[in-house]
């Protein structure tokens, strides 16, 4: 793909639209917006623009579409698949000024927000009214809701409550050609035409730019109980996941962490004291929630009965909110701990939950063949295993040449088991070369044609999802 450069005349037009103080091209700004949280990748944009209204974005897109200039939308920059990387330079459009919660409708259990609102800020705002927005990615303290929608973000609560897409009712969207539309309606049921709302949800900023989001909400559960279960075998920990569901329990969270993940997180996070015996190879962090504490206690008893069929050490029950927060802090810090330890690549694999033991064994066997170590953790209740491949002592040649072969085999195994390439991080830049594993040519062609219907000149977030 070839795009035109931004001329002084075009730059002046952009400044007239957004205000010159919101159109930036100094070296520090360009460097800051050249990367997200995807490995160590960096691509400099030509200019960074921070608009405030949908109308400003529409005007910017009309110029880019007419002048054949690439435009990359960006939320908080917490993505892990390279979706916000401006790989062709051009315009980097930051949504950080779209940071208002516009309305919390307590009568209809809905909220209308702008895409630059931070996930945790939104969760806390609705919680004050006794309402609950469950999707809670590890980066919830910094990630934007617009990015969550673009990536179909999940998090620990997804096992019981679903992911971001399950809460999106309607979107205000600016098309790459500059028109502003609403994709649906603010209703719980809608059988009127194609479901454009869900098409945009998960489209990774390639079909349009979201400027308003209407979410559905649910009542806040009153109680939760949390347990940490040490296993002497990581394979048994994975096998126990499906067994708990088959016993009739649906936890509000069920997280898997193998030994290295726990050890690295404990070293990385201050203030957490947890003694882990040498024989322990993995943990499950299991939460149940609801409105009746007696029912939750019985759920924990039933889970404990199931776990008697596996080799576990003493189960830790978090008795205070401080203990619960410490355990969740440890789990949410695993990714950063791994990142601080070594150069790494993270694969966001997902399979039917009963196949987790097979996936884990396969990942380790593939690692042995290609010479890499992996640290695995993730949302076990969803079958969503984050595989962090550690460079460690691998040579540059092995890292650059052999690693992709190993990753391809991991993805082939996922698909063979009924899974797919990504559970919640998206495809973006770094996984697009593997899309042939999961989709036949006809399906890939259909999806590419959808992209061209929305974006005939391919100026919006080009080079993402498809090779």
């Amino acid at each position: 793909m070839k795009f035109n450069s931004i001329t002084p005349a075009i730059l002046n037009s952009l400044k007239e639209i957004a205000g010159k103080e919101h159109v930036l091209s100094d070296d520090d700004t360009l460097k800051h917006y050249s990367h997200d949280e995807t490995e160590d990748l960096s691509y400099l944009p030509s200019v960074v623009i921070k608009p405030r209204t949908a109308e400003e974005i529409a005007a910017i897109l009309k110029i880019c579409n007419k002048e054949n200039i690439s435009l990359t939308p960006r939320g908080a920059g917490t993505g892990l698949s390279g979706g916000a990387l401006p790989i062709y330079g051009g315009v980097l459009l930051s949504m950080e000024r779209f940071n208002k919660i516009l309305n919390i409708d307590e009568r209809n259990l809905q909220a209308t927000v702008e895409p630059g609102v931070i996930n945790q800020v939104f969760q806390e705002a609705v919680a004050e009214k006794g309402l609950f927005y469950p999707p809670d990615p590890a980066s919830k303290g910094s990630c934007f809701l617009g990015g969550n929608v673009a990536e179909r973000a999940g998090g620990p609560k997804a096992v019981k409550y679903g992911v971001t897409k399950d809460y999106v009712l309607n979107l205000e969207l600016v098309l790459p050609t500059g028109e502003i539309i609403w994709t649906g309606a603010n209703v719980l049921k809608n059988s009127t035409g194609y479901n454009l709302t869900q098409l945009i949800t998960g489209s990774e900023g390639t079909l349009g730019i979201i400027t308003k989001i209407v979410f559905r909400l649910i009542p806040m559960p009153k109680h939760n109980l949390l347990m940490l279960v040490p296993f002497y075998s990581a394979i048994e920990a994975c096998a126990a996941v499906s067994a708990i569901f088959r016993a009739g329990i649906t936890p509000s969270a069920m997280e898997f962490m193998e030994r290295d993940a726990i050890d690295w997180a404990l070293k990385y996070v201050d203030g957490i004291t947890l003694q882990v015996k040498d024989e322990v190879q993995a943990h499950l962090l299991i939460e149940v929630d609801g409105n009746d504490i007696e029912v939750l206690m019985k759920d924990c008893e039933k889970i404990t009965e199931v776990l008697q069929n596996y080799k576990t050490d003493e189960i830790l029950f978090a008795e205070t909110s401080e203990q619960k927060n410490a355990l969740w802090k440890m789990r949410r810090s695993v990714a950063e701990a791994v990142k601080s330890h070594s150069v790494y690549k993270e694969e966001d694999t997902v399979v039917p939950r009963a196949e987790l033991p097979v996936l884990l064994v396969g990942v380790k066997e593939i690692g042995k063949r290609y010479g890499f170590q992996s640290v695995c953790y993730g949302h076990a209740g969803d079958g969503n295993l984050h595989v962090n491949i550690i460079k460690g002592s691998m040579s540059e040649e092995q890292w650059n040449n052999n690693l992709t072969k190993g990753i391809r085999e991991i993805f082939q195994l996922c698909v063979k088991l009924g899974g797919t390439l990504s559970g919640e991080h998206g495809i973006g830049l770094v996984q697009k070369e593997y899309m042939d594993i999961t989709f036949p040519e006809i399906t890939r062609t259909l999806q590419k044609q959808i992209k061209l219907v929305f974006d005939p000149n391919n100026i919006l977030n080009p080079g993402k999802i498809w090779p």
Side-chain angles (χ1 to χ4, degrees):
M1 282 177 278
K2 190 172 183 179
F3 297 97
N4 293 330
S5 300
I6 299 174
T7 65
I10 292 173
L11 188 61
N12 286 334
S13 296
L14 296 175
K15 289 178 179 179
E16 289 177 4
I17 293 167
K20 62 181 181 180
E21 68 273 25
H22 302 303
V23 180
L24 307 168
S25 56
D26 60 281
D27 290 344
D28 288 343
T29 298
L30 297 184
K31 184 176 180 180
H32 175 75
Y33 289 92
S34 70
H35 62 88
D36 57 12
E37 293 299 317
T38 309
E39 302 161 20
D40 57 353
L41 301 177
S42 178
Y43 299 85
L44 289 173
S46 300
V47 64
V48 174
I49 301 180
K50 303 178 182 182
R52 179 63 194 94
T53 68
E55 290 73 21
E56 289 179 2
I57 292 176
I60 292 165
L61 279 168
K62 285 179 180 177
I63 290 176
C64 291
N65 192 54
K66 179 183 177 182
E67 302 294 340
N68 190 37
I69 295 169
S70 68
L71 184 145
T72 304
R74 176 189 169 100
T78 59
L80 295 168
S81 62
L85 299 178
I87 61 176
Y88 293 101
V91 172
L92 188 292
L93 191 142
S94 171
M95 299 300 292
E96 62 197 85
R97 295 177 66 211
F98 282 74
N99 59 0
K100 301 291 190 297
I101 298 174
L102 300 174
N103 179 47
I104 299 175
D105 181 352
E106 296 178 70
R107 293 188 311 134
N108 289 306
L109 274 69
Q110 295 180 5
T112 303
V113 304
E114 293 181 331
V117 174
I118 292 172
N119 180 292
Q120 186 172 344
V121 170
F122 179 55
Q123 285 190 326
E124 292 173 353
V126 300
E128 289 179 2
K129 300 180 181 295
L131 300 174
F132 186 31
Y133 176 71
D136 58 341
S139 59
K140 70 176 186 176
S142 55
C143 63
F144 290 174
L145 291 169
N148 293 171
V149 173
E151 301 292 338
R152 290 197 196 101
K157 295 292 193 299
V159 64
K160 179 176 180 179
Y161 293 105
V163 298
T164 302
K165 71 177 180 63
D166 300 307
Y167 294 86
V168 179
L169 296 176
N170 201 0
L171 299 168
E172 183 183 69
L173 186 75
V174 184
L175 298 175
T177 46
E179 296 88 349
I180 301 173
I181 66 170
W182 281 93
T183 59
N186 300 359
V187 292
L188 297 175
K189 297 172 71 176
N190 187 345
S191 292
T192 312
Y194 296 130
N195 194 333
L196 294 182
T197 303
Q198 288 302 315
L199 177 61
I200 298 304
T201 303
S203 62
E204 304 189 33
T206 63
L207 302 182
I209 296 179
I210 298 165
T211 49
K212 289 187 181 70
I213 309 163
V214 181
F215 286 118
R216 75 176 182 92
L217 305 170
I218 59 177
M220 175 69 76
K222 295 179 182 178
H223 307 287
N224 64 72
L225 299 175
L226 185 66
M227 61 176 76
L228 184 68
V229 187
F231 286 79
Y232 295 130
S233 163
I235 304 302
E236 284 207 351
C238 287
V241 172
S242 177
I244 289 170
F245 283 89
R246 295 198 307 272
I249 306 296
T250 300
S252 52
M254 184 179 283
E255 300 290 295
F256 168 82
M257 296 167 283
E258 68 172 337
R259 180 60 187 254
D260 284 344
I262 287 275
D263 287 347
W264 292 3
L266 290 174
K267 292 176 183 176
Y268 182 78
V269 181
D270 293 329
I272 299 177
T273 302
L274 180 67
Q275 299 298 321
V276 182
K277 293 182 180 179
D278 292 343
E279 314 92 88
V280 170
Q281 295 303 308
H283 286 76
L284 287 182
L285 184 64
I286 306 172
E287 180 192 81
V288 294
D289 72 0
N291 296 321
D292 188 328
I293 191 67
E294 296 299 325
V295 171
L296 299 183
M297 291 295 292
K298 290 179 180 178
D299 285 346
C300 289
E301 290 174 6
K302 200 165 187 179
I303 291 171
T304 303
E305 290 175 8
V306 173
L307 294 174
Q308 289 175 359
N309 297 313
Y310 301 90
K311 295 178 181 178
T312 68
D313 198 38
E314 184 178 355
I315 297 172
L316 170 66
F317 284 87
E319 297 180 352
T320 66
S321 58
E322 289 76 16
Q323 288 178 331
K324 292 175 184 177
N325 291 337
L327 290 177
W328 276 119
K329 183 178 181 182
M330 177 183 68
R331 164 60 188 92
R332 293 182 183 279
S333 301
V334 169
E336 285 297 316
V338 172
K339 186 175 182 178
S340 69
H341 188 85
S342 171
V343 174
Y344 79 110
K345 285 184 177 291
E346 180 172 355
E347 308 306 334
D348 175 40
T349 61
V350 60
V351 296
R353 68 170 73 96
E355 306 301 334
L356 269 177
V358 182
L359 176 60
L360 184 63
V361 169
V363 167
K364 299 303 181 181
E365 289 178 348
I366 292 167
K368 287 179 182 178
R369 285 204 305 275
Y370 288 96
F372 62 77
Q373 176 192 359
S374 61
V375 178
C376 298
Y377 61 93
H379 314 305
D382 295 324
N384 186 193
L385 189 69
H386 299 320
V387 179
N388 280 244
I389 298 171
I390 309 303
K391 183 179 181 185
S393 61
M394 290 180 72
S395 68
E396 287 297 322
E397 181 180 359
Q398 288 176 313
W399 184 254
N400 294 325
N401 299 323
N402 291 346
L403 186 59
T404 55
K405 298 175 184 176
I407 293 172
R408 177 165 282 271
E409 286 196 23
I410 290 172
F411 286 146
Q412 287 170 336
L413 175 61
C414 288
V415 173
K416 181 181 179 181
L417 294 173
T420 192
L421 310 188
S422 176
E424 58 184 6
H425 293 167
I427 299 301
L429 174 65
V430 296
Q431 311 296 12
K432 64 182 183 178
E433 300 298 332
Y434 305 105
M435 289 291 271
D436 63 294
I437 297 172
T438 191
F439 290 128
E441 184 177 354
I442 180 61
T443 309
R444 301 197 303 273
T445 299
L446 283 171
Q447 296 201 39
K448 292 176 185 178
Q449 288 173 340
I450 291 170
K451 162 69 170 170
L452 290 176
V453 168
F454 279 80
D455 186 11
N457 293 322
N458 198 27
I459 56 104
L460 183 58
N461 213 7
K464 309 297 169 58
I465 302 180
W466 305 109

